Amino acid sequence: KNQVEQSPQSLIILEGKNCTLQCNYTVSPFSNLRWYKQDTGRGPVSLTIMTFSENTKSNGRYTATLDADTKQSSLHITASQLSDSASYICVVSETGNTPLVFGKGTRLSVIA
Amino acid sequence: DTAVSQTPKYLVTQMGNDKSIKCEQNLGHDTMYWYKQDSKKFLKIMFSYNNKELIINETVPNRFSPKSPDKAHLNLHINSLELGDSAVYFCASRPTTGAAGELFFGEGSRLTVL
């Protein structure tokens, strides 16, 4: 069964620190992997999308990596800000017209 | 200009009632979705429509009936509401049914069933 597992489930860090969120998946055949940020009370917003051939992609202070061989991805946040407090959701897509497979998200809290 | 808009944002109603949530996208996308996010924040797909045609129905109770009058709109009607229907419902759209299209979400509609 296609699955996406994220860790940790939740994380608290001090403002200004870096952190890394993990995503492991069993989705096959793999097409692409996305990271979404969901602020409380809002809809998810895309941060990055990576295909099989890409192993790193940046969006400002967010850098996503992908290892398609080990089926792992990470999202690294540099110099965290209070506004980074949100849920981060890893979403993996199979090839073709099949539903996206969502992870359960990592809840990040950045505190002053 | 909001890309994917849902109404209402909040909905509080009694068990047994019937309610609808509306969704519109102005992105020109072909595919629209309804997702349910429960209290544990897990997003689960409910329905997918492509050009007004149903393409995914993920074992949702038949009390839930989506309706797509045109490819820019996908409404969700729920009959005989139950306590377990309380959740946030997200509409989303995508330019293609293929794997690569970017998925855009609405702001969500929080349904509370008393």
Side-chain angles (χ1 to χ4, degrees):
Chain A
K1 183 182 174 184
N2 286 331
Q3 286 189 310
V4 175
E5 300 287 341
Q6 292 188 242
S7 61
Q9 193 172 22
S10 62
L11 183 60
I12 301 173
I13 61 172
L14 291 174
E15 187 180 12
K17 296 296 185 183
N18 303 336
C19 68
T20 300
L21 315 181
Q22 300 290 345
C23 173
N24 296 341
Y25 61 93
T26 60
V27 176
S28 182
F30 174 83
S31 175
N32 58 66
L33 183 146
R34 310 148 192 256
W35 282 95
Y36 282 84
K37 179 187 180 191
Q38 185 178 16
D39 291 315
T40 301
R42 307 294 298 273
V45 174
S46 178
L47 292 175
T48 64
I49 177 169
M50 287 185 292
T51 59
F52 185 89
S53 59
E54 296 172 296
N55 54 25
T56 187
K57 187 168 274 190
S58 291
N59 178 357
R61 294 178 298 102
Y62 301 101
T63 299
T65 65
L66 172 66
D67 185 335
D69 291 331
T70 61
K71 299 188 177 181
Q72 295 180 324
S73 175
S74 65
L75 181 69
H76 186 74
I77 305 175
T78 305
S80 61
Q81 300 176 358
L82 297 177
S83 59
D84 293 331
S85 296
S87 287
Y88 292 84
I89 305 170
C90 177
V91 183
V92 181
S93 178
E94 287 182 73
T95 55
N97 182 20
T98 53
L100 299 174
V101 185
F102 283 74
K104 295 189 178 182
T106 292
R107 176 73 208 169
L108 174 66
S109 299
V110 181
I111 59 175
Chain B
D1 241 1
T2 306
V4 181
S5 57
Q6 303 178 221
T7 54
K9 190 169 172 65
Y10 300 97
L11 188 52
V12 181
T13 188
Q14 299 284 340
M15 241 177 15
N17 284 350
D18 303 336
K19 290 293 177 187
S20 292
I21 307 172
K22 295 185 176 181
C23 179
E24 175 182 3
Q25 53 94 5
N26 61 8
L27 298 165
H29 288 171
D30 295 325
T31 308
M32 295 184 73
Y33 304 83
W34 277 108
Y35 286 87
K36 179 181 180 181
Q37 189 171 47
D38 58 25
S39 57
K40 295 181 180 174
K41 307 298 182 188
F42 187 41
L43 274 161
K44 286 184 65 175
I45 190 169
M46 299 174 68
F47 300 103
S48 171
Y49 268 72
N50 183 51
N51 275 322
K52 304 190 297 176
E53 288 189 25
L54 178 67
I55 55 173
I56 294 173
N57 179 346
E58 289 288 315
T59 59
V60 177
N62 58 16
R63 296 183 296 104
F64 291 78
S65 51
K67 203 160 279 187
S68 181
D70 55 62
K71 76 172 195 175
H73 296 83
L74 181 62
N75 304 324
L76 183 65
H77 187 76
I78 315 170
N79 290 326
S80 304
L81 279 156
E82 300 178 357
L83 293 177
D85 298 332
S86 295
V88 182
Y89 292 85
F90 285 97
C91 179
S93 75
R94 206 168 161 195
T96 175
T97 54
E102 184 56 80
L103 187 63
F104 291 84
F105 285 88
E107 291 297 294
S109 297
R110 179 175 292 277
L111 171 65
T112 302
V113 182
L114 304 174

